[in-house]
């Protein structure tokens, strides 16, 4: 294992239960200076609709490489060999209907239990291990999202990371270079924040000596959070001095009308693609907050009869089911369009799709009955061996985190555990 590998993936000194953040060492400067990695990177785009889709029209009836495409998967027929459908996956002990929506990438058990605390999400874990290789370690996006209560991204201490739902703001962050005066003001603000955190950290350490064991444990968790923020500020200062990438794309205009659900979804997918294509980040999450979506536009001349949540509790009512079928088909068509875009972008001798793992799924196996097992899972790209329906037992699901471990390993992250994993799904490698 090389020194470079260690410093990009292990940024703490650990011993006797103490974690100490490393300073920005000379070898880390060399990592930042590498304009192009020697090995083309793998990326992740993680998408979840928190009300799921109708399972009977998503999952194929048969399995293996020769399966017949289901009605929904027909939308993706042109890319059949670029994706795999997996049934029989879920998170053990993650149930309680809609309360599981924040656990899709964490697998934290018992979300309805008293004192529940979330855990680190897949994207944040991967970013920790990869180190400061891009301007943004991750980008956490949302469509119609209730920012205060929902997110796919959670810190190691189980704190929600708010999602960005403005394409305009995101575009400016990624591509618009500030003038010199604005840069200096921003750097000054970053330095001031760092000084405040240093003071808070010293005060907390003095306080710790006067606390009991339980309070010391809580305070230690706080100190870890402070150190994480200090690291982010240090990285922000470093990247702030580097020029941003350029793009031929015109700055987008935000869509504020929640009724334009599919237009907003498509816009955020395009922003995710731009972020990955420009190497602004290698990890993007996107929560489609169907729960918070009111009556929405199905077609230019047709709106839904009710909000998305009420439609999802259809009770087999034909009119509601048909509206959901229409909405699900349109979402699959958006995914197909994204796959096509990623497939047409060349990165060296491969397609961007081959170097991007696109995961689409949900915390809901069946929103109508609040079921959180047999989750709809589709994994595309990433260089995996695709073109199959891989099925596990529906009465005894495999942990979804087994797929997460395989995805982490595909990014060259050395781990054999995440969340509730019991192994891997390395059969995706063929």
């Amino acid at each position: 294992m090389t020194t470079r590998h260690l410093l990009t993936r292990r940024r703490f000194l650990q011993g006797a239960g103490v974690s100490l953040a490393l300073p920005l060492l000379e070898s880390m400067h060399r990592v930042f200076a590498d304009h192009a990695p020697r090995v083309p990177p793998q990326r992740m785009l993680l998408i979840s609709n928190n009300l799921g889709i109708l399972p009977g029209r998503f999952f194929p009836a048969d399995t293996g490489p020769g399966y017949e495409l289901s009605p929904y998967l027909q939308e993706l027929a042109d890319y059949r060999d670029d994706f795999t459908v997996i049934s029989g996956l879920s998170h053990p002990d993650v149930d309680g209907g809609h309360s599981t929506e924040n656990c899709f990438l964490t697998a934290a058990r018992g979300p309805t239990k008293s004192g529940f605390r979330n855990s680190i999400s897949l994207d944040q874990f991967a970013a920790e291990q990869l180190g400061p290789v891009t301007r943004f370690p991750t980008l956490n996006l949302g469509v119609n999202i209730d920012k205060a209560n929902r997110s796919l991204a959670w810190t190691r201490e189980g704190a929600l990371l708010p999602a960005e739902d403005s394409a305009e703001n995101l575009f400016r962050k990624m591509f618009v270079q500030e003038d010199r005066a604005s840069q200096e003001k921003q750097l000054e603000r970053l330095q001031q924040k760092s000084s405040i955190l240093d003071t808070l950290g010293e005060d907390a350490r003095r306080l710790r000596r006067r606390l009991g064991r339980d309070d010391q444990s809580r305070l230690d968790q706080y100190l870890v959070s402070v150190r994480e923020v200090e690291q982010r500020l240090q990285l922000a200062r470093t990247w702030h001095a580097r020029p941003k990438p350029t793009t031929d794309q015109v700055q987008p205009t935000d869509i504020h009308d929640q009724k334009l659900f599919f237009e907003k979804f498509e816009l955020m997918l395009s922003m995710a693609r731009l972020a990955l294509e420009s190497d602004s980040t290698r990890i993007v999450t996107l929560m489609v907050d169907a729960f918070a979506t009111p009556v929405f536009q199905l077609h230019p001349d047709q709106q839904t009869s009710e909000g998305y949540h009420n439609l999802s509790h259809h009770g087999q009512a034909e009119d509601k089911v048909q509206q959901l079928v229409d909405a699900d088909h349109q979402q699959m068509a958006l995914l197909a369009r994204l796959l096509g875009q990623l497939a047409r972008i060349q990165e060296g001798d491969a397609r961007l799709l081959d170097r991007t793992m696109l995961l689409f799924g949900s915390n809901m196996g069946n929103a109508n009955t609040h079921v959180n097992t047999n989750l709809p899972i589709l994994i595309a790209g990433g260089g995996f061996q695709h073109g199959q329906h891989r099925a596990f037992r529906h009465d005894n699901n495999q942990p979804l985190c087994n797929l997460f471990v395989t995805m982490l390993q595909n990014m060259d992250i050395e781990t054999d555990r995440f969340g509730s994993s019991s192994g891997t799904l390395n059969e995706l490698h063929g």
Side-chain angles (χ1 to χ4, degrees):
M1 187 177 296
T2 65
T3 301
R4 182 179 188 276
H5 182 87
L6 282 169
L7 289 179
T8 55
R9 288 169 168 75
R10 302 284 185 267
R11 306 188 311 284
F12 293 88
L13 294 175
Q14 295 180 321
V18 177
S19 294
L20 177 66
L22 287 169
L24 195 63
L25 303 176
E26 181 180 354
S27 51
M28 286 185 175
H29 281 293
R30 289 199 298 269
V31 173
F32 278 109
D34 288 345
H35 181 70
R38 295 177 183 175
V39 178
Q42 275 288 344
R43 303 170 176 89
M44 288 197 298
L45 172 54
L46 311 167
I47 305 169
S48 173
N49 179 319
N50 60 0
L51 289 181
I53 52 182
L54 294 173
R57 294 172 180 267
F58 174 75
F59 288 115
D62 45 359
T63 63
Y67 75 95
E68 182 179 349
L69 292 171
S70 66
Y72 288 171
L73 296 182
Q74 288 287 350
E75 300 286 350
L76 303 165
D78 289 345
Y79 308 100
R80 179 191 180 106
D81 293 334
D82 289 312
F83 69 85
T84 296
V85 180
I86 310 176
S87 58
L89 296 179
S90 62
H91 291 312
D93 302 321
V94 180
D95 50 26
H98 299 301
S99 61
T100 64
E101 61 198 351
N102 291 326
C103 302
F104 182 65
L105 295 183
T106 72
R109 299 173 187 261
T112 61
K113 293 181 179 178
S114 176
F116 168 75
R117 183 176 182 174
N118 215 340
S119 55
I120 191 168
S121 52
L122 177 66
D123 59 307
Q124 297 301 305
F125 180 87
E128 281 186 358
Q129 304 304 307
L130 290 175
V133 291
T134 53
R135 184 178 298 273
F136 304 102
T138 66
L139 287 175
N140 180 33
L141 312 182
V143 174
N144 283 356
I145 195 161
D146 178 358
K147 289 187 180 183
N149 296 304
R150 299 191 184 100
S151 179
L152 287 181
W154 294 75
T155 69
R156 186 166 288 281
E157 282 65 51
L160 176 151
L161 293 171
E164 175 63 77
D165 60 355
S166 168
E168 291 181 10
N169 288 343
L170 184 58
F171 187 91
R172 285 194 293 269
K173 288 178 184 178
M174 291 194 296
F175 301 114
V176 178
Q177 192 74 42
E178 297 172 326
D179 58 53
R180 185 59 178 264
S182 298
Q183 287 181 355
E184 290 177 353
K185 287 181 180 179
Q186 178 65 11
L187 287 171
E188 183 180 350
R189 285 195 294 269
L190 289 169
Q191 183 58 51
Q192 288 173 349
K193 290 178 182 179
S194 180
S195 299
I196 292 171
L197 286 171
D198 288 342
T199 302
L200 287 174
E202 181 58 35
D203 289 346
R205 283 186 284 273
R206 286 197 298 267
L207 175 63
R208 189 183 189 281
R209 293 191 288 270
R210 305 199 301 269
L211 299 178
R213 181 178 299 175
D214 288 346
D215 280 341
Q216 284 185 353
S217 177
R218 295 187 185 96
L219 189 60
D220 287 343
Q221 292 173 353
Y222 165 75
L223 289 175
V224 170
S225 298
V226 170
R227 283 194 289 271
E228 287 182 353
V229 174
E230 288 174 338
Q231 283 187 306
R232 294 191 190 107
L233 289 172
Q234 179 79 322
L235 294 177
R237 283 195 295 270
T238 303
W239 282 104
H240 201 77
R242 299 183 63 182
K244 295 180 179 180
T246 59
T247 179
D248 295 332
Q249 298 293 317
V250 177
Q251 180 170 317
T253 301
D254 281 338
I255 301 171
H256 298 287
D257 189 349
Q258 288 189 306
K259 291 186 176 66
L260 300 178
F261 173 74
F262 303 110
E263 290 86 345
K264 295 184 75 171
F265 191 4
E266 183 175 21
L267 177 59
M268 295 315 287
L269 287 176
S270 69
M271 295 308 299
R273 175 184 56 78
L274 266 179
L276 297 172
E277 183 181 2
S278 64
D279 206 32
S280 295
T281 188
R282 298 192 182 149
I283 306 168
V284 179
T285 61
L286 175 56
M287 176 179 265
V288 181
D289 193 352
F291 192 95
T293 298
V295 171
F296 58 97
Q297 204 83 24
L298 268 178
H299 300 285
D301 59 348
Q302 180 188 0
Q303 290 188 350
T304 58
S305 59
E306 302 180 55
Y308 212 134
H309 180 218
N310 286 344
L311 285 180
S312 73
H313 293 291
H314 51 78
Q316 304 305 324
E318 184 176 350
D319 180 56
K320 290 184 178 181
V321 169
Q322 189 52 52
Q323 291 176 72
L324 286 172
V325 168
D326 195 336
D328 289 348
H329 272 288
Q330 292 193 55
Q331 289 180 78
M332 292 295 106
L334 290 179
L335 287 181
R337 191 172 305 167
L338 177 61
L339 291 180
Q341 292 168 342
L342 294 173
R344 287 189 292 273
I345 298 170
Q346 285 295 126
E347 186 181 53
D349 59 353
R351 306 174 302 170
L352 185 58
L353 178 59
D354 299 320
R355 293 175 178 153
T356 301
M357 294 175 285
L358 188 155
L359 174 71
F360 175 82
S362 178
N363 55 293
M364 300 297 290
N366 189 332
N368 181 51
T369 52
H370 282 180
V371 169
N372 302 119
T373 55
N374 296 316
L375 303 180
I377 299 296
L378 182 148
I379 177 79
F384 290 127
Q385 187 70 38
H386 288 302
Q388 299 198 42
H389 171 206
R390 297 188 179 273
F392 297 97
R393 290 179 57 176
H394 286 197
D395 60 345
N396 185 19
N397 287 180
Q398 288 285 311
L400 175 56
C401 284
N402 288 357
L403 174 60
F404 292 173
V405 171
T406 296
M407 295 174 70
L408 289 168
Q409 292 175 350
N410 202 42
M411 295 188 79
D412 196 29
I413 293 173
E414 296 174 355
T415 185
D416 58 3
R417 295 285 302 172
F418 179 82
S420 55
S421 66
S422 61
T424 66
L425 291 186
N426 282 343
E427 52 264 41
L428 285 171
H429 290 293

